[in-house]
Amino acid sequence: MTATQDSHDEVPAPERAPVLEAGPGPGEDAYSASDEEEIAARLEALGYLE
Amino acid sequence: MERRYRARRRLGSCCSGTARGGRAILGSGGVPTTATTGTRGRRARRVALIGLDCGTPELLFERYADDMPTLGRLRRQALWGSLESTAPPLSIPAWLSMLTGRTPGELGVYGFRNRTDHGYGGLAFATSRWVRVPRVWDLLGQAGRDSVLIGVPGTYPPSPLRGSMVTCFMTPSTDAQFTFPADLREEVQRVTGGYTIDVAGFRSEDKARVAQQIFDMTEQRFALARHLATTRPWDFLAVADMGPDRLHHGFWGACDPGHPRYRPGNAYEHVVRDYYRALDRHLAGLLEVLPDDTTVAIASDHGARPMLGGFCLNEWLVREGLLVLAEPPAGPTPIGKAAIDWSRTTAWGDGGFYGRLFLNVEGREPLGTVPRRDYESVREHIASRIERLPDPVGRPLGNRVLRPGELYPEVRGAAPDLIVYFGDLRWRAVGSLGLGHGLYTSENDTGPDDANHSEQGVLVLAGEGLSHGRQEGLSIYDVAPTLQALLGLPAAAGQRGRVLG
């Protein structure tokens, strides 16, 4: 059995969705060039990238 | 007979302490003894989410159900069923969607790597910095309550939270900062005997080594979860184990008589069963230390299915005259390194477990060739051609072609123009050129792989006030609002899904 959000008194209906950005947020890059190579190699081996 | 995998040295302390709230009251086998038929009014104040990446209903609920007595006992007291994943059913977008209640389109995250703009070169990994909306632990922290996170995909680089975090498999290495707070790192290394981010050297024919690493990694994740569950205050504990995903990709063909690579009596015929037996013991060990007011959620981001082969998407686009090369590749060449004549190219693709097709649109891409007025007709023409592609022996391949604008209420970032499930995800998309295989490969171009992702993951949700039994129609978007409701938090603005109960 499932309940919709409206049926839960303790869970108010969501407000209107805020405008979202896409892509990385501000700040330093998550990866150095060598980090990126490491992640890419690992994911390629797993079949995630190709 | 169960194959024995070497047990790691004893990892950390199992039951050395208690989380705030006292010792768990768990039944035999680690199943919570709390009633599941109680009134709806009471909210659990504490939730443990145990994530099994690639946890597959056909395995957990059927084939290996008898090998997982702890999960079985938990399931008998739980709301459970198949959990429909995101489109595409891929770990990063799926986990982000599960814990934000937002679609990949709203998040602008369609895969591990995403175009950062409409140029031809900008592919970047989606990291924690791509997530612009709060996740469950962010909302909980705003309410002044604590979380413990271990390995949850999409958490690298670590960001401050109220609680403790060990980042995910997208962490480059343990040389990087992989914990929050930073000084948790040494403790994690000590407790685990050296933290394993992910399986190393996965694409190897040294199957014994790969299997052992997977068994060890899972043991380590659960040992660390036990340690942090019993030494840190928390209201929300989330641990995600990548072991099932790595196991399925590496060994599905060894265990499934329906897989084309299956050979009866092979050395790894029972490795998946043995893994799930071990996983069940680890699950029992974790449940045993959870406080008695804990609602337990076991969830996966997607499932798995046998992979039959790969379809060379860009090779096909070249043959169709839609992708024009400035010079032919000298050998196997990733699409990102191919010499493409963009001024004469209509479309190109990225490969992986599903295909992403991009149109070269005038005024959008730097050297776009598809007039905007022709966008829909060109896209539909290509979609129709892809849908009618045959398999290697001339039967329909059964491709599904999806349009982001129809999948998501909002489409952000540089989304693919088409999302393609070759053979309805029985075949992978091969993006590289110059492989010399024609349009079809029996293995992907970087080596053997046994499984592709499927759209159905799992959810088991057990705790006071929740109903029992199998439920149909569960969605990954239901998870975040449900966890929040269980934690006494309201739905976040714009969140999809419904509260399960």
Side-chain angles (χ1 to χ4, degrees):
Chain A
M1 172 181 172
T2 58
T4 63
Q5 288 171 341
D6 288 341
S7 71
H8 282 253
D9 294 340
E10 299 164 40
V11 182
E15 299 165 16
R16 198 169 70 84
V19 174
L20 299 179
E21 301 292 336
E28 294 177 11
D29 289 343
Y31 297 125
S32 67
S34 61
D35 287 345
E36 189 128 352
E37 285 176 16
E38 164 66 30
I39 292 290
R42 195 188 304 158
L43 292 176
E44 279 173 4
L46 285 160
Y48 282 99
L49 309 177
E50 158 303 313
Chain B
M1 180 179 166
E2 184 175 353
R3 185 184 175 92
R4 307 308 296 184
Y5 287 87
R6 173 179 50 83
R8 290 174 60 88
R9 68 179 181 75
R10 193 66 185 162
L11 294 166
S13 57
C14 172
C15 308
S16 59
T18 58
R20 189 175 57 202
R23 176 75 169 82
I25 53 166
L26 296 166
S28 59
V31 177
T33 56
T34 50
T36 57
T37 55
T39 58
R40 286 186 159 278
R42 183 176 169 199
R43 292 272 178 249
R45 306 301 293 175
R46 194 193 305 266
V47 176
L49 170 64
I50 301 168
L52 304 177
D53 196 284
C54 205
T56 304
E58 292 84 353
L59 303 189
L60 293 170
F61 299 157
E62 296 172 24
R63 190 182 305 174
Y64 300 119
D66 292 342
D67 297 293
M68 303 191 73
T70 304
L71 181 64
R73 283 192 290 270
L74 188 67
R75 197 149 48 95
R76 283 193 289 278
Q77 301 180 43
L79 175 168
W80 64 277
S82 296
L83 186 73
E84 184 173 2
S85 183
T86 48
L90 203 62
S91 297
I92 288 294
W95 281 107
L96 296 185
S97 292
M98 185 195 291
L99 292 163
T100 62
R102 302 294 194 130
T103 67
E106 291 167 296
L107 297 167
V109 176
Y110 306 95
F112 284 80
R113 282 196 298 204
N114 298 271
R115 294 175 80 187
T116 54
D117 55 33
H118 284 101
Y120 298 123
L123 280 176
F125 286 111
T127 66
S128 61
R129 297 214 171 113
W130 286 57
V131 185
R132 306 290 194 92
V133 293
R135 286 183 263 190
V136 172
W137 58 84
D138 298 314
L139 299 169
L140 197 63
Q142 288 168 16
R145 294 163 65 198
D146 299 307
S147 297
V148 168
L149 310 174
I150 303 164
V152 177
T155 52
Y156 182 82
S159 48
L161 80 159
R162 188 180 167 104
S164 306
M165 173 192 290
V166 179
T167 59
C168 68
F169 71 98
M170 296 287 280
T171 306
S173 74
T174 51
D175 293 334
Q177 185 54 53
F178 71 101
T179 65
F180 181 87
D183 62 7
L184 174 60
R185 174 184 178 164
E186 294 310 313
E187 184 178 341
V188 171
Q189 293 287 47
R190 176 176 51 77
V191 167
T192 60
Y195 190 68
T196 302
I197 300 287
D198 203 343
V199 176
F202 179 83
R203 198 160 296 281
S204 162
E205 286 301 331
D206 185 355
K207 293 280 194 180
R209 182 188 58 78
V210 172
Q212 185 68 57
Q213 279 193 76
I214 296 169
F215 277 67
D216 289 349
M217 184 172 72
T218 292
E219 181 182 0
Q220 195 185 73
R221 285 294 178 281
F222 278 85
L224 184 60
R226 286 195 305 269
H227 174 76
L228 294 179
T230 52
T231 58
R232 296 294 188 284
W234 57 271
D235 300 284
F236 179 56
L237 169 76
V239 54
D241 178 29
M242 302 306 296
D245 182 86
R246 288 13 179 181
L247 185 82
H248 297 161
H249 286 305
F251 294 94
W252 192 291
C255 303
D256 179 5
H259 194 284
R261 230 198 306 271
Y262 174 77
R263 298 290 176 270
N266 74 80
Y268 298 96
E269 188 164 16
H270 299 299
V271 70
V272 175
R273 180 203 66 185
D274 295 348
Y275 174 84
Y276 281 112
R277 286 179 175 176
L279 176 65
D280 195 70
R281 292 193 290 271
H282 299 319
L283 180 62
L286 177 56
L287 294 178
E288 183 178 273
V289 302
L290 299 182
D292 63 353
D293 63 347
T294 306
T295 292
V296 175
I298 296 175
S300 68
D301 53 338
H302 56 75
R305 66 191 319 167
M307 184 190 292
L308 304 184
F311 183 83
C312 298
L313 172 59
N314 284 314
E315 195 70 48
W316 177 77
L317 288 169
V318 168
R319 292 186 186 192
E320 293 288 307
L322 297 168
L323 170 59
V324 179
L325 302 178
E327 55 187 76
T333 306
I335 186 66
K337 294 182 178 171
I340 296 172
D341 182 347
W342 292 108
S343 68
R344 294 194 296 149
T345 285
T346 300
W348 78 101
D350 267 335
F353 292 126
Y354 78 104
R356 284 187 272 191
L357 188 135
F358 302 99
L359 295 186
N360 192 24
V361 180
E362 211 173 68
R364 191 182 76 175
E365 273 73 16
L367 296 172
T369 63
V370 178
R372 283 183 178 269
R373 66 178 178 279
D374 296 337
Y375 175 85
E376 286 298 341
S377 62
V378 171
R379 187 168 75 150
E380 289 314 303
H381 171 74
I382 295 173
S384 170
R385 296 275 297 134
I386 292 173
E387 284 168 342
R388 286 183 282 129
L389 284 167
D391 75 4
V393 295
R395 298 169 301 197
L397 196 53
N399 298 335
R400 287 172 60 198
V401 183
L402 310 172
R403 296 141 186 88
E406 295 172 3
L407 288 173
Y408 315 123
E410 294 177 70
V411 180
R412 299 189 177 279
D417 294 292
L418 293 172
I419 288 171
V420 185
Y421 295 171
F422 287 103
D424 198 15
L425 293 172
R426 288 183 296 273
W427 291 66
R428 65 180 282 115
V430 178
S432 293
L433 291 156
L435 299 174
H437 292 303
L439 293 180
Y440 306 91
T441 63
S442 58
E443 294 181 345
N444 77 53
D445 53 334
T446 49
D449 201 332
D450 282 359
N452 205 350
H453 292 180
S454 69
E455 294 170 284
Q456 296 297 321
V458 300
L459 179 67
V460 177
L461 185 63
E464 185 174 339
L466 293 164
S467 57
H468 316 172
R470 184 167 203 152
Q471 290 200 9
E472 304 296 332
L474 303 177
S475 162
I476 199 164
Y477 300 112
D478 300 337
V479 175
T482 299
L483 296 179
Q484 289 163 206
L486 290 165
L487 290 160
L489 299 170
Q495 212 164 36
R496 311 285 160 193
R498 58 189 176 154
V499 176
L500 306 173

